[in-house]
Amino acid sequence: MRTAPPSSSDTPRPTPVRRSSARRPPCGRARSCGFGGPDGVLAEFTVDGVDVLPRRGFDAHRAYGRRDPGRAELRLITCGGAFDPASGGYAADVVVSAYLTGVR
């Protein structure tokens, strides 16, 4: 019988999502469609980093900069950290970085 509270190593942790996918929408008549393509290909990405960046002194290159030249990359950026009711905003941004690992 266990009488002490569990240590932090015993605490179950959620399993992070390591892969994500996005279907490229058809472009229609547009000459340049950015992420989309006329083929509707499903692009698969693998997450390789999650950073929490403070908004004060925000490092735009760390958030938006290319990590590996020649590799297709995807960023998901959302607010995070502590909420400041006085400003109505969050203290940080969460940046999830992923790279292209396949297409179907």
Side-chain angles (χ1 to χ4, degrees), residues 50-82:
V50 178
D51 294 311
V52 179
L53 305 177
R55 288 197 173 168
R56 185 169 286 160
F58 182 76
D59 185 347
H61 181 72
R62 189 168 165 199
Y64 307 117
R66 183 173 288 266
R67 290 184 177 215
D68 209 353
R71 181 172 84 169
E73 299 178 352
L74 175 73
R75 297 286 189 284
L76 170 67
I77 303 173
T78 189
C79 49

Side-chain angles (χ1 to χ4, degrees), residues 3-94:
T3 58
S7 71
S8 62
S9 63
D10 293 337
T11 305
R13 299 193 187 276
T15 303
V17 174
R18 297 287 182 198
R19 294 184 62 172
S20 180
S21 60
R23 186 162 310 276
R24 297 188 308 184
C27 289
R29 294 187 211 183
R31 294 185 89 193
S32 172
C33 356
F35 182 71
D39 52 10
V41 164
L42 182 70
E44 296 177 332
F45 293 86
T46 299
V47 173
D48 71 343
V50 178
D51 294 311
V52 179
L53 305 177
R55 288 197 173 168
R56 185 169 286 160
F58 182 76
D59 185 347
H61 181 72
R62 189 168 165 199
Y64 307 117
R66 183 173 288 266
R67 290 184 177 215
D68 209 353
R71 181 172 84 169
E73 299 178 352
L74 175 73
R75 297 286 189 284
L76 170 67
I77 303 173
T78 189
C79 49
F83 180 74
D84 178 6
S87 71
Y90 288 85
D93 288 305
V94 178

